[in-house]
Amino acid sequence: MENEAGALSRVAGLFSARGYNIESLSVAPTEDPTLSRMTLVTKGSDDVIEQVTKQLNKLIEVVKVIDLTDGNHIERELMLVKIKAVGSDRDEIKRLVDIFRGSIIDVTEKSYTVELTGTSAKLDAFLDNIDNSIVLETVRTGASGIGRGDWVLKV
Amino acid sequence: MSVELTGAEITIRCLQEEGVECIFGYPGGAVLFLYDELFKQDKVRHILVRHEQAALHAADGYARSSNKVGVALVTSGPGVTNAVTGIATAYLDSIPLVIISGQVPTNAIGLDAFQEVDTVGITRPCVKHNFLVSDISELATTIKKAFYIASTGRPGPVLVDIPKDVTQQKAPFVYPEKLTMRSYNPVVKGNAKQIKKAVDLIVSAKRPIIYTGGGVILSDAAKLLTELTRLLNYPCTNTLMGLGGYPATDKQFIGMLGMHGTYEANMAMQYCDVLIAVGARFDDRVIGNPKHFSNESRKIVHIDIDPSSISKRVKVDVPIVGNVPDVLKELIKLLKNSKEEPDKTALQEWWHQIDTWRARDCLKYDRDSSIIKPQMVVEKLYEVTKGDAFITSDVGQHQMWAAQFYKFDKPRRWINSGGLGTMGFGMPAAMGAQLANPKAKVACVTGEASIQMCIQELSTCKQYKLPLKIVNLNNRYMGMVRQWQEFFHGNRYSESYMDALPDFIRLAESYGHVGIKIERPEEVEDALKEAFKLKDQLVFLDFITDQTENVFPMVPGGKGLSEMILV
Ligand SMILES: Cc1cc2nc3c(=O)[nH]c(=O)nc-3n(C[C@H](O)[C@H](O)[C@H](O)COP(=O)(O)OP(=O)(O)OC[C@H]3O[C@@H](n4cnc5c(N)ncnc54)[C@H](O)[C@@H]3O)c2cc1C
Ligand SMILES: Cc1ncc(C[n+]2csc(CCOP(=O)(O)OP(=O)(O)O)c2C)c(N)n1
Ligand SMILES: [Mg+2]
């Protein structure tokens, strides 16, 4: 979409006005600074997704809409999570972070801050493996997606 | 190097460049520089309304009756919030408007400044698009874009919010000749393969119906629609917004469809095997409960310029995204060359069936009543104006009777708020229609409740000598509300009685107009004739009508189209 003030609120407004849900949304400028690229994750029946797509296309600032799930695509999300890490938990957490190929990017005597990227499902899985009571803070970016292979989304 | 102009000058110059002859507005602090520029020129005429809602409705009526973009000018804060109802009204009926609103100076935005509201935010859900112009160098292009977006594709209102300091600053003025917008390119031509498919389906029909809506009016396609319908000899029904798209006096016309549509139109809609939808959006007031509607096996062709109108509530088989006239031309061409022809015998049987439904005479009412029947007033209005007036309406029973009993043979003559159903729309819309068509007869069919929502505009009519005829079907009730209470709420008329009504005659007179009160059926025709004889006067006709009359047929909410309550 056009990299203009207000474009994002039009998209968000559309979803709330029409009762569609936004699971996650991530947006930033592209290699062409006049354009932003947004990855938006939503759920719905085929009919709802068809309407969502049509309604998004109607927004004047939206240049192009594609449904990444129509084809092969790659999806990544970044998560920062602060975990209470004392005693035996410290090793336990470290091991888990290694298994999930994350990294510990900040350490105190009582906590670790972990950085993890992957599909949203992988991040969920990581959290599922940690006792909820020691998770102090989570920050997730929402998924960013791109098509696989040589295919490119051009305007 | 071009000359430097102030933002206010640029704005007015842009309007001139767009050929705008008439705008509707109300001044205030944030737009004082704009008003100053208006004062210094005489190309753009400004009509001073008495409430910003009316400015929008008047610009709207102007647009609907002329196919030009309507323009309104309002100040920041309360000017904008007053205008919102009018903006939403235009949005729901896809009317091309450009609204210029004043805003507090850029450096005051966000500080809860005097008369500051987030105009772009408040109006976002009810405009086709809106802009905040924070840099004077973008002002002219933005206004150009506003007119372009408002009038192309599926039309709609576009708002341009201009901070006060931008109207003061100076910049070189060049009005862009052309625009290219990579993110906005409405489709015009329909897909050839889809049109071919449509033709095959259309000629295969045994029980066809052509169902058309506001899209035919908005795109000035009435002639082509008539050509297509006659070529096929298929029945044609119009939505409330599509009336006048096909001549109502023609024998192939089977009336309006929907909640208050005719028996024959609704039955034909329910039992057709091929449905050809043209510029209509399968509104819930039109097809009733979509579940009942989808039960019937029928094939649907749908022509619409907005892909999101297609398969929104009812799945269609042959979608054609495109501009109605372009697609109809192509369809007609292919049909004329088609080797296949519709099954004549089947069609004859279908017409026979439709005529049986017609014989039910679903719009009958007591013509011998000693109390004035509202339907009769509209019939007489039709006769007296020879079907050639611009008729606006408010919202309620009177609106439905106007739609059912005034036979619109031409497009753009029927002007009403269908999508939002805004009471208060009628009189200001009539002002706009009269200004766009100075010589035409313009009447507003209204009710005693609706008319009071913008009654202050009697003053505007006086100032600009607008000789409207206000046809007030005075039943002392919010009749449409009362009807629902009678049918669905055990006759409990909760807050729907219009108590303490003004004396409309003296009210009209106090504004310098003529008022006539009509209480007996035999006076109706003469009163209307007299009113139209007073060519230069606004005449307020207060018809004291039957309080108990209801609108029939009626499809109750949640029911299928064929489950009508009949008189
Ligand atoms: C009290 C009350 C009772 C009502 N009862 C009824 C009733 O009984 N029957 C009824 O029909 N309505 C009724 N309505 C009106 C109803 O609410 C809708 O406003 C109306 O049915 C919509 O009409 P439409 O489908 O023609 O769509 P419109 O709102 O006129 O929309 C036009 C369609 O045409 C498309 N279009 C626009 N321009 C073009 C173009 N150039 N080319 C192709 N397509 C184009 C648009 O995308 C859109 O889909 C009632 C309203 C009120 C207030
Ligand atoms: C601004 C607004 N408020 C409320 C309504 C709900 N409403 C629809 S019809 C109606 C009554 C209209 O009464 P009147 O103008 O007397 O017309 P009648 O139905 O009696 O012909 C009301 C209150 C509306 N459509 N618009
Ligand atoms: Mg009434």
Side-chain angles (χ1 to χ4, degrees), chain B residues 392-418:
Chain B
T392 72
S393 91
D394 271 300
V395 175
Q397 292 182 316
H398 62 272
Q399 177 187 22
M400 295 299 112
W401 288 316
Q404 292 174 332
F405 290 89
Y406 199 98
K407 299 186 202 72
F408 294 95
D409 277 344
K410 293 184 199 161
R412 298 195 179 278
R413 297 303 174 104
W414 167 237
I415 294 169
N416 83 131
S417 164

Side-chain angles (χ1 to χ4, degrees), chain A:
Chain A
M1 57 195 207
E2 302 289 349
N3 183 10
E4 281 170 10
L8 174 61
S9 53
R10 262 179 238 282
V11 173
L14 172 76
F15 274 72
S16 63
R18 295 192 181 265
Y20 311 141
N21 76 314
I22 301 181
E23 303 258 308
S24 76
L25 184 160
S26 78
V27 58
T30 65
E31 73 282 359
D32 171 353
T34 67
L35 285 173
S36 291
R37 169 128 173 189
M38 172 186 283
T39 305
L40 194 150
V41 180
T42 184
K43 266 195 194 138
S45 64
D46 288 354
D47 289 351
V48 169
I49 299 299
E50 184 181 329
Q51 265 299 313
V52 170
T53 312
K54 286 171 169 179
Q55 293 293 349
L56 281 171
N57 266 314
K58 256 172 89 168
L59 296 178
I60 306 289
E61 284 141 340
V62 170
V63 184
K64 207 163 192 173
V65 182
I66 54 160
D67 183 348
L68 283 171
T69 64
D70 281 348
N72 278 332
H73 71 284
I74 306 165
E75 183 185 324
R76 289 291 178 272
E77 179 174 0
L78 168 69
M79 173 167 74
L80 302 176
V81 50
K82 197 170 280 183
I83 304 165
K84 188 168 157 197
V86 286
S88 63
D89 278 352
R90 283 181 90 86
D91 279 354
E92 190 63 31
I93 295 165
K94 173 97 182 41
R95 244 191 326 270
L96 197 66
V97 170
D98 287 343
I99 295 171
F100 278 83
R101 296 190 200 181
S103 42
I104 296 172
I105 53 172
D106 192 31
V107 181
T108 71
E109 274 171 25
K110 287 188 225 140
S111 72
Y112 284 154
T113 301
V114 174
E115 173 193 322
L116 199 63
T117 49
T119 63
S120 305
K122 172 179 157 184
L123 306 191
D124 291 342
F126 177 80
L127 290 176
D128 285 346
N129 277 288
I130 294 184
D131 179 1
N132 216 359
S133 65
I134 61 167
V135 176
L136 303 171
E137 204 177 336
T138 35
V139 190
R140 297 174 65 156
T141 58
S144 295
I146 198 163
R148 260 195 200 280
D150 292 334
W151 183 85
V152 266
L153 169 60
K154 274 232 194 73
V155 300

